[in-house]
């Protein structure tokens, strides 16, 4: 019996070494943690339960029968984050470059099936050279199997991908299907075709970092939702995000103890809006003053900065935030901001996370670039996302709400539950000057008349009361009381029930 137990421990020690100490040292020399070290950082201490530690590949081509490692380049299992269950896999670059084989893929699929069945998030830590070339189509089939599991899990359990090394070719499509992608600066990259292929086909000379590094995907392509300085920071931030998400689509978001007053009044908000309505202000200030302890987990903060998305807690409960940012493009909606916000709204709706929308939008960004780029369809994505969402929706209009952008930003007409406005709100078809020049076109040559007409238009429409008179605004509130009013609104909506007509699925304008 003792011999068998010793043999088991010896096998476990071999599996824990992955590709061997030399390769582990190389991984450390690059400033990267190993697959198992990443799991230790991510999960609660001692909570990890591993599956398939001794699985090995079955390939015998190209001398592969001599290169067998227990676990086959990926560590899989489950554990807890602050006591809440998650399933995870962590690719091991020390084993054949973390390349995906048929058995490697089967291990990932197995834990994804368990996550769907048991209702817990899936976290994938990607660090792989891609498909294992020696296995050919079997490895490609493995990738497709993983993609199918990602699709089936979408909207059922939260899926988070952390890119912690290379992720190229077909490997990129699994993270692309997941809900959130985080990258590590200077040590991770994603692209469909690498720099060498790009140079051969298009004659472009580009580095891996420029082509698919963290900065590229967080600020230009919007593929990634955030980038962090190193493995440790990335994993700690993933823990923080998981803390805000429900375990699955049948559970409510978690409620945490909070140490902020539920009746906190923020007098500074009474002066947040400048006297000159064309002067910008930072919407981050409002978001943080509404949130419990000022904590805001921002999503895609480096992309489409004219709109903010992310999570806060109100009275301990998770709330999704969508807010126009007057500091960038005056808060106008455009192609990028519409796509960014629409995807975020759909995630919140899929997982029963209430949505708070803060509105200060002068309209859609004009120009040929926007029209040629399809701003009509991209803007419709946000419109569609809000319109189909059945979660509690509270909207606060702080400043401008002009034209179609007013409708799109969770207006009463898109089944907004509570729609508040500050006294500084301006709800109209367009700005006073533009409206005057259209309505009083015959007076365009007379500056005094145009000024008088503009003043008259401002007096009539540059306020929230016309909309309030029609019931499109539920109440005009004092800025200082916004946290209290919004928190009470969400509290009253906890048992909201709303369903859409039966359909196989909708046809959002992608």
């Amino acid at each position: 019996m003792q011999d068998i137990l010793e043999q088991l421990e010896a096998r476990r020690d071999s599996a824990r070494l992955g590709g061997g100490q030399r390769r582990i040292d190389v991984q450390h020399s690059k400033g990267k943690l190993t697959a198992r070290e990443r799991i230790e950082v991510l999960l609660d201490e001692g909570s990890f339960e591993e599956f398939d530690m001794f699985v090995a590949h079955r390939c015998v081509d190209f001398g592969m029968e001599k290169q067998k490692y227990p676990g086959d380049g990926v560590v899989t299992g489950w554990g807890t984050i602050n006591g809440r269950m998650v399933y995870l896999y962590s690719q091991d670059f020390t084993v054949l470059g973390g390349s995906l084989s048929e058995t490697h893929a089967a291990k990932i699929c197995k834990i994804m099936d368990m996550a769907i069945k048991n209702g817990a998030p899936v976290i994938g830590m990607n660090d792989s050279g891609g498909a294992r070339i020696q296995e050919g189509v079997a490895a490609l089939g493995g990738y497709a199997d993983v993609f199918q599991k990602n699709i089936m899990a979408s909207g059922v359990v939260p899926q988070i991908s952390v890119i912690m090394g290379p992720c190229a070719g077909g490997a990129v499509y699994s993270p692309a299907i997941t809900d959130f992608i985080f990258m590590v600066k200077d040590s991770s990259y994603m692209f469909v075709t690498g720099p060498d292929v790009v140079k051969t086909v298009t004659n472009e000379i580009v580095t891996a970092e420029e082509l698919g590094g963290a900065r590229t995907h967080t600020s230009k392509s919007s593929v990634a939702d955030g980038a962090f300085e190193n493995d440790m920071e990335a994993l700690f931030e993933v823990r923080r995000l998981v803390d805000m998400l429900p375990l699955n689509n049948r559970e409510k978001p978690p409620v945490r103890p909070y140490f902020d007053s539920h009746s906190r009044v923020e007098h500074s908000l009474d002066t947040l809006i400048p006297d000159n309505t064309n002067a910008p202000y930072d919407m981050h200030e409002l978001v943080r003053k509404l949130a419990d302890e000022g904590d805001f987990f921002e999503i895609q903060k480096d992309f489409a900065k004219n709109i903010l998305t992310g999570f806060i807690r109100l009275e301990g409960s998770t709330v999704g935030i969508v807010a126009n940012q007057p500091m960038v493009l005056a808060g106008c909606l455009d192609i990028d901001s519409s796509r960014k916000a629409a995807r975020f709204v759909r995630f919140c709706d899929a997982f029963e996370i209430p949505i708070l929308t803060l509105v200060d939008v002068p309209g859609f960004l004009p120009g040929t670039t926007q029209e040629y780029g399809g701003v009509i369809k991209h803007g419709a994505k946000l419109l569609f996302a809000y319109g189909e969402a059945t979660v509690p929706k509270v909207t606060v209009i702080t400043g401008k709400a002009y034209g179609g952008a007013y409708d799109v930003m969770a207006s009463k007409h898109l089944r907004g539950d509570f729609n508040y406005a500050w006294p500084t709100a301006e709800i109209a078809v367009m700005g006073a000057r533009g409206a005057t020049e259209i309505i009083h076109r015959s007076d365009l040559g007379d500056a005094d008349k145009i000024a008088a007409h503009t003043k008259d238009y401002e007096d009539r429409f540059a306020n929230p009361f016309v909309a309030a008179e029609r019931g499109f605004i539920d109440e005009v509130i004092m800025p200082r009381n916004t946290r209290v009013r919004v928190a009470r609104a969400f509290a009253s909506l906890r048992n909201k029930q709303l369903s859409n007509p039966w359909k196989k699925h909708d046809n959002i304008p992608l």
Side-chain angles (χ1 to χ4, degrees), residues 343-356:
R343 178 163 170 78
F344 182 77
V345 167
R346 283 171 66 83
F347 173 83
C348 290
D349 189 49
F351 290 101
E352 289 298 319
I353 298 173
I355 301 168
L356 172 61

Side-chain angles (χ1 to χ4, degrees), residues 347-385:
F347 173 83
C348 290
D349 189 49
F351 290 101
E352 289 298 319
I353 298 173
I355 301 168
L356 172 61
T357 307
L358 305 175
V359 183
D360 190 339
V361 59
F364 280 88
L365 187 66
T368 55
T369 301
Q370 291 293 307
E371 295 295 349
Y372 296 168
V375 69
I376 294 171
K377 276 222 167 175
H378 291 294
K381 292 175 183 177
L382 182 54
L383 167 66
F384 197 109

Side-chain angles (χ1 to χ4, degrees), residues 331-334 361-365 400-406:
C332 280
L333 287 172
D334 62 354
V361 59
F364 280 88
L365 187 66
K400 300 179 180 71
Y402 289 164
Y406 154 72

Side-chain angles (χ1 to χ4, degrees), residues 38-244:
R38 288 165 177 162
I39 291 173
E40 287 175 11
V41 172
L42 179 66
L43 297 180
D44 298 338
E45 185 176 357
S47 72
F48 182 52
E49 295 285 344
E50 186 171 352
F51 292 131
D52 298 330
M53 176 184 271
F54 305 121
V55 164
H57 70 75
R58 296 183 287 271
C59 180
V60 294
D61 296 318
F62 306 104
M64 287 299 292
E65 71 277 4
K66 300 173 185 175
Q67 298 188 64
K68 287 199 173 186
Y69 298 87
D72 202 26
V74 64
V75 184
T76 61
W78 68 272
T80 60
I81 292 178
N82 289 328
R84 301 169 73 231
M85 178 185 281
V86 297
Y87 286 85
L88 76 165
Y89 66 88
S90 182
Q91 293 181 315
D92 188 350
F93 196 78
T94 70
V95 176
L96 301 171
S99 57
L100 183 136
S101 68
E102 185 178 12
T103 49
H104 180 127
K107 287 181 65 174
I108 295 173
C109 290
K110 179 176 177 178
I111 64 112
M112 293 185 72
D113 279 337
M114 298 187 76
I116 295 169
K117 191 186 304 180
N118 297 310
V122 178
I123 302 170
M125 288 168 275
N126 296 261
D127 190 358
S128 168
R132 194 168 298 167
I133 298 171
Q134 294 90 335
E135 292 200 14
V137 71
L140 296 181
Y143 266 132
D145 290 338
V146 174
F147 302 158
Q148 184 63 50
K149 299 298 182 186
N150 287 132
I151 294 165
M152 292 298 98
S154 182
V156 179
V157 294
Q159 299 181 82
I160 300 171
S161 297
V162 194
I163 315 302
M164 312 190 83
C167 185
V172 300
Y173 290 111
S174 175
I177 299 169
T178 62
D179 300 304
F180 300 103
I181 299 175
F182 299 107
M183 298 183 72
V184 179
K185 294 176 183 176
D186 302 320
S187 66
S188 68
Y189 52 83
M190 300 175 72
F191 38 65
V192 177
T193 52
D196 294 338
V197 176
V198 170
K199 182 179 179 182
T200 300
V201 176
T202 69
N203 290 321
E204 294 175 278
I205 298 174
V206 63
T207 66
E209 182 64 32
E210 292 168 337
L211 184 62
R215 291 174 183 82
T216 296
H217 285 313
T218 53
S219 62
K220 293 181 181 179
S221 71
S222 81
V223 166
D225 297 288
F228 305 106
E229 295 298 329
N230 51 53
D231 286 10
M232 295 288 286
E233 184 184 354
L235 295 169
F236 284 138
E237 287 300 300
V238 170
R239 283 182 62 93
R240 186 170 157 231
L241 174 60
V242 170
D243 252 2
M244 291 188 159

Side-chain angles (χ1 to χ4, degrees), residues 388-409:
E388 72 169 346
T390 59
V391 293
K393 293 182 286 190
V394 176
T395 302
V396 180
I397 301 174
T398 62
K400 300 179 180 71
Y402 289 164
Y406 154 72
D407 288 322
V408 167
M409 291 297 294

Side-chain angles (χ1 to χ4, degrees), residues 305-323:
K305 294 182 179 182
N306 46 325
I307 203 160
L308 310 179
T309 56
F311 300 104
I312 65 169
R313 286 195 182 90
L314 273 177
E315 297 186 331
S317 297
T318 301
V319 172
I321 288 277
V322 178

